[in-house]
Amino acid sequence: MWPTTDLKIDVPHSARMYDYYLGGKDNFPADREAAERALAVFSAARVMAQQNRAFMVRVTRYLAGEVGVRQFLDVGTGIPTSPNLHEVAQGIAVDARVVYADNDPIVLTHARALLASTPQGRTAYLDADLRDPERILTAAELQSTLDLTEPVALSVIAILHFVPDDADPYGVVARLLEALPSGSYLALTHATADFDPAAQEMAATYRARGITAVERSRAQVTRFFDGLELVEPGVQVVHRWRPDDLTAAPDITDAQVSIYGALGRKP
């Protein structure tokens, strides 16, 4: 039985705000008010969220379909929004195994939805913080689901811009990658103000409500891939990363999207 959690519905929450941008229903008045304030200074926040989600779908399709990855570690899962990562991966490879890790109370309440695997594959949910990689790597849920002698795709989608510099985000990602074998991958997205200064104002509205938010430059995002082989086309605004007929958005601009994405392979 899942433990009771305090959702603190009177305090805005980044996962519920993201759910609101995507048109979801798992949000409360405080989340909607904070999201609307963010939209007031960065009106394309919904576009950013939608294109970030589309990148996750494309990169997972690429990993499962084109390079044959069968194991995924998704840290900073967020509120389930179909298709979830395991639905995409198992739609291509029914035996794919996925471990979701998050420490947000609202996500914990939805953990059961994340655990709906195909009979041939497996999913598991781990209540852990990205900033505590040792907890993630030593968790029984991970050890019993993934084989760390075989390639794993580490997915950190739209989470690192909530990790401040003093929490060593680069060190955290490096430690997780260190535990994965050659042939593993890092899939990552990160908000930026490179194209529109309003993205800085959006981040400021988050911080004003007690939510850490750090936009980073292309060079700073690229640094997460140090030591990895970037998959073409490298670090790009997410709608420019291998667009396809299903998720292409030709009419939107880099400034509207304002989030970088990339995929790197561990040699």
Side-chain angles (χ1 to χ4, degrees), residues 143-163:
Q143 295 291 331
S144 64
T145 305
L146 304 182
D147 177 358
L148 297 187
T149 68
E150 296 292 330
V152 175
L154 170 62
S155 176
V156 280
I157 302 295
I159 183 66
L160 287 163
H161 44 243
F162 297 120
V163 181

Side-chain angles (χ1 to χ4, degrees), residues 7-63:
L7 299 183
K8 299 180 180 178
I9 64 173
D10 58 333
V11 178
H13 190 290
S14 59
R16 297 193 301 249
M17 292 170 67
Y18 186 73
D19 177 74
Y20 178 72
Y21 298 143
L22 289 173
K25 298 180 180 179
D26 294 301
N27 49 75
F28 299 98
D31 309 306
R32 295 190 284 272
E33 187 272 339
E36 285 296 340
R37 285 188 177 268
L39 284 162
V41 297
F42 186 73
S43 60
R46 287 192 175 94
V47 174
M48 174 191 277
Q50 291 161 358
Q51 290 305 311
N52 178 75
R53 193 78 192 170
F55 170 88
M56 183 280 293
V57 171
R58 290 197 306 278
V59 79
T60 304
R61 285 193 192 124
Y62 174 85
L63 287 163

